[in-house]
Amino acid sequence: MSTGSGAASAPAPDGHDDPTTRNPATPRKTSMFASLKVRNYRLFFLGQVVSNIGTWMQRIAQDWLVLSLTGSSAAVGITTALQFLPMLLFGLYGGVLVDRLRKRPTLLVTQSAMALTALALAVLTLSGHVQVWHVYVAAFAMGLATVMDNPARQSFVSELVGRDQLQNAVSLNSANFQSARLVGPAVAGLMITGVGTGWAFLANGLSFVAPLSCLLLMRARELHTVQRAPRGKGQLREGLHYVAGRPELIWTIVLVGFIGTFGFNFPVFLSAFADDVFDAGAGAYSLFNTLMAVGSLAGALLAARRGTSRLRVLIAAALGFGALEIVSATAPALWLFALLMVPIGVFSMTVNVTANTSIQMSTDPAMRGRVMALYMMVFLGGSPIGAPVVGWVTDTYGARVGFAAGGAVAAGAALVVGLVLARVGNLRLSVGWHRGHPQVRFVPRERREALAPAA
């Protein structure tokens, strides 16, 4: 149950509050690795380093195994859809449960469940008895565990580091995941070609020993305790009403939903450019993904250094992301298209980190599990819906049109959400110069009236 209007985590807005810059913390720079000074978070981070590499290994091995068993790309798509389907169906209920439960024991259960699933798939594959329906069941089981693991893991970060270092910790989590994205697929490729997919599943299953051990080694007395929501009726509805009544939450989630559904379908876009536009094959596809991962890692580290999270940064990053996709769609040469993947990675990660942190810092701790579950449901659940749409546009009108359309949706959504938040906050657009540089920002309308010369 909510303890109020979010006073425990964010001040109530007043007439002069700017929803595009809302953050109770004073804007500041911080050390890029500040949150790693916290022992509990350091343990959490180290456990995730190992686990994330295993996760990326499993993703690659899983897709390759399905393709080997069926020879069908559609079967690979079904596997991906099954892994995200539980979040789409049950994500909100997972958030309700997470708000009722202690986060660390919850993570011990969910991480153990995912480890057992990976180990079972490893045994089936290594023994030669694996069939495609086994992989489907394993993917769905992983998705079911994610329903509670994702919101629990996201909201647990604030208990590890507290409010002041939340932005830094969320950014480092993203950097952690993107670093694993550079290592995991490469290791998986070597393992699959060298000893087979079963060993990649085994490696992922064993990788969960690291986060489980780190969770057990944490000091409970050093956690920033959060009041849990008591069991009661209508908690799911209460969570939805909570979000609907806060423009900074609902419009951030709407923006992320549009971008995640239509702008983040990189497997569709990049494979089409590598194969159809540049006729360069799998090598180019791998290069595009690697360069985007480099940009994403840089974006996460820059966000960690920023120290604060502002919604105007989110709007600007979303606009830049959409514009870059449109520009990339017109790139005449492979080398130019490949180079543009780096800034696209930077902007996409800025959107991801800023949205995540803004939502967590604007949410009552007792509601955080439900709000983060809704955020993750919209962000991850949109892909199975948007992928067929952008895939059809790409197949029908070409890769360049499909990529540009995804960017246009992202930029358009950012523009609309920015204008809505400006209207809600009674703001106007101010264009001027500051220390010799052009400056574009939203300022309260009252400021313009105060500065206007008397008649």
Side-chain angles (χ1 to χ4, degrees):
M1 182 179 294
S2 172
T3 58
S5 60
S9 59
D14 58 29
H16 299 283
D17 200 18
D18 179 352
T20 65
T21 61
R22 178 168 298 154
N23 190 350
T26 303
R28 67 191 185 280
K29 297 272 184 162
T30 187
S31 169
M32 188 174 289
F33 303 102
S35 52
L36 288 176
K37 297 176 183 177
V38 180
R39 179 183 181 275
N40 282 344
Y41 179 74
R42 189 163 61 247
L43 285 169
F44 179 80
F45 185 89
L46 291 173
Q48 292 301 306
V49 167
V50 179
S51 182
N52 284 335
I53 291 174
T55 296
W56 278 106
M57 291 174 65
Q58 170 120 352
R59 288 187 180 185
I60 300 299
Q62 177 179 275
D63 292 347
W64 188 259
L65 177 60
V66 171
L67 195 61
S68 301
L69 291 171
T70 65
S72 168
S73 296
V76 177
I78 291 172
T79 308
T80 303
L82 286 171
Q83 195 155 338
F84 287 109
L85 185 61
M87 179 63 72
L88 189 61
L89 296 177
F90 311 118
L92 292 177
Y93 296 99
V96 171
L97 292 175
V98 166
D99 278 337
R100 294 176 182 172
L101 302 171
R102 288 186 298 159
K103 306 301 185 293
R104 187 164 64 143
T106 301
L107 288 171
L108 286 169
V109 172
T110 57
Q111 296 276 298
S112 297
M114 288 190 281
L116 291 173
T117 302
L119 291 173
L121 194 55
V123 170
L124 287 168
T125 306
L126 291 172
S127 65
H129 293 97
V130 70
Q131 298 179 35
V132 69
W133 70 268
H134 293 146
V135 187
Y136 288 164
V137 171
F140 190 75
M142 283 283 191
L144 283 175
T146 303
V147 166
M148 291 190 63
D149 184 81
N150 235 322
R153 193 155 31 85
Q154 298 281 341
S155 53
F156 187 50
V157 174
S158 64
E159 295 187 23
L160 293 170
V161 300
R163 179 178 177 79
D164 290 344
Q165 298 192 62
L166 182 60
Q167 159 88 13
N168 181 261
V170 171
S171 302
L172 288 181
N173 283 352
S174 298
N176 186 330
F177 189 73
Q178 295 304 321
S179 299
R181 184 180 176 184
L182 292 173
V183 177
V187 175
L190 293 173
M191 190 169 286
I192 290 169
T193 56
V195 293
T197 55
W199 293 99
F201 297 137
L202 179 61
N204 181 44
L206 295 177
S207 75
F208 283 98
V209 172
L212 289 171
S213 300
C214 290
L215 285 168
L216 292 171
L217 288 170
M218 289 179 184
R219 296 170 182 163
R221 65 181 181 275
E222 295 179 8
L223 294 173
H224 297 255
T225 55
V226 172
Q227 181 180 0
R228 286 178 283 147
R231 183 184 298 272
K233 293 183 178 180
Q235 290 181 319
L236 176 57
R237 184 170 60 252
E238 181 188 19
L240 294 174
H241 286 167
Y242 179 89
V243 173
R246 288 159 177 77
E248 72 276 15
L249 294 180
I250 186 64
W251 287 107
T252 298
I253 292 174
V254 167
L255 175 58
V256 168
F258 273 101
I259 294 176
T261 301
F262 299 103
F264 276 13
N265 284 287
F266 296 115
V268 175
F269 298 139
L270 301 188
S271 60
F273 266 83
D275 190 35
D276 300 332
V277 177
F278 299 119
D279 194 24
Y285 179 57
S286 176
L287 174 65
F288 297 157
N289 278 281
T290 300
L291 290 173
M292 186 174 293
V294 170
S296 297
L297 177 59
L301 292 175
L302 288 171
R305 185 173 177 79
R306 221 174 17 247
T308 57
S309 177
R310 297 186 173 200
L311 289 182
R312 72 181 184 189
V313 174
L314 173 62
I315 300 301
L319 276 169
F321 172 76
L324 278 168
E325 286 201 335
I326 295 172
V327 170
S328 298
T330 65
L334 186 149
W335 67 268
L336 179 58
F337 183 85
L339 287 178
L340 286 169
M341 293 301 102
V342 176
I344 284 179
V346 172
F347 277 83
S348 67
M349 188 51 57
T350 302
V351 169
N352 193 348
V353 171
T354 307
N356 188 313
T357 312
S358 297
I359 287 174
Q360 291 207 50
M361 296 186 73
S362 301
T363 302
D364 188 322
M367 302 291 294
R368 195 167 283 149
R370 279 165 281 183
V371 174
M372 291 309 297
L374 177 62
Y375 168 77
M376 297 307 299
M377 186 188 75
V378 171
F379 185 53
L380 298 178
S383 293
I385 298 172
V389 176
V390 299
W392 176 82
V393 172
T394 300
D395 287 341
T396 305
Y397 300 102
R400 293 189 185 277
V401 173
F403 203 19
V409 170
L415 185 61
V416 170
V417 169
L419 292 174
V420 168
L421 289 174
R423 184 176 180 84
V424 168
N426 193 29
L427 306 174
R428 66 177 180 85
L429 185 66
S430 171
V431 181
W433 289 83
H434 179 69
R435 295 180 180 178
H437 299 284
Q439 184 179 64
V440 180
R441 58 178 179 161
F442 287 103
V443 298
R445 292 183 184 277
E446 289 83 353
R447 185 180 301 176
R448 179 181 61 180
E449 296 169 359
L451 296 176

